[in-house]
Amino acid sequence: MGSVRLLLALAVVFGHAGPPLRGVQMVHASTAVQMFYVISGFYMGLVLTTKYRPGSHALFLGNRFLRIVPIYWVVLAATIAYQVGELLVNGKSILTVCQRDRVWHELTPGAAAFLGLVNVTLLGQDAVYFTGLDHGALHFTTNFLSAAE
């Protein structure tokens, strides 16, 4: 199961990569993500029923937290350090290259605080997929891809 998840993760990397890796495609990146979630959900259910006693969900959640969040914070700190370095050395942010810079300065303070909190804590990131932007304010939508922003 780990090998299949690795291949699916590589399919996502190849889907997001620029040339020369962009042409390498096993399955479409969005399909790979969905398949990864299905397999991971099955695997988490298997772990919950075989490794942890009933009623020990707090232990499971604590273990998952300690496994995921520290490395996420290391990568987040490295990303912020890279952004600051890029800004100091070249005078531009990678966000400008990604053209997401225009969205951040339009956000209302509440929307910026919510998105910042989601990015630092990982809590509520699934809720972001049910939101769209309207004049800098977040609103719920049934399809974030069809939202105005």
Side-chain angles (χ1 to χ4, degrees):
M1 206 171 333
S3 300
V4 174
R5 290 190 332 164
L6 174 65
L7 290 172
L8 292 172
L10 287 174
V12 173
V13 169
F14 292 152
H16 288 289
L21 293 177
R22 182 166 288 160
V24 178
Q25 187 171 353
M26 295 176 272
V27 295
H28 194 273
S30 63
T31 304
V33 169
Q34 292 172 0
M35 292 168 61
F36 186 90
Y37 282 146
V38 168
I39 292 172
S40 294
F42 171 77
Y43 187 64
M44 288 294 109
L46 183 67
V47 167
L48 265 174
T49 57
T50 59
K51 186 176 178 184
Y52 295 94
R53 292 179 290 121
S56 65
H57 294 303
L59 177 63
F60 170 76
L61 292 174
N63 287 344
R64 297 303 299 164
F65 177 87
L66 291 174
R67 189 172 184 172
I68 295 170
V69 173
I71 191 66
Y72 177 78
W73 284 342
V74 168
V75 171
L76 181 63
T79 303
I80 291 170
Y82 175 79
Q83 289 290 305
V84 170
E86 186 73 22
L87 188 61
L88 293 174
V89 172
N90 296 327
K92 66 178 183 176
S93 169
I94 197 167
L95 293 176
T96 305
V97 175
C98 295
Q99 297 188 7
R100 294 186 180 148
D101 200 31
R102 64 180 181 84
V103 174
W104 279 101
H105 76 275
E106 295 174 2
L107 290 177
T108 62
F114 172 72
L115 292 174
L117 186 68
V118 166
N119 279 295
V120 171
T121 65
L122 296 175
L123 297 175
Q125 68 183 175
D126 50 346
V128 173
Y129 285 105
F130 297 101
T131 62
L133 283 175
D134 185 22
H135 297 71
L138 289 174
H139 63 88
F140 285 106
T141 181
T142 56
N143 184 355
F144 74 96
L145 293 174
S146 66
E149 284 285 332

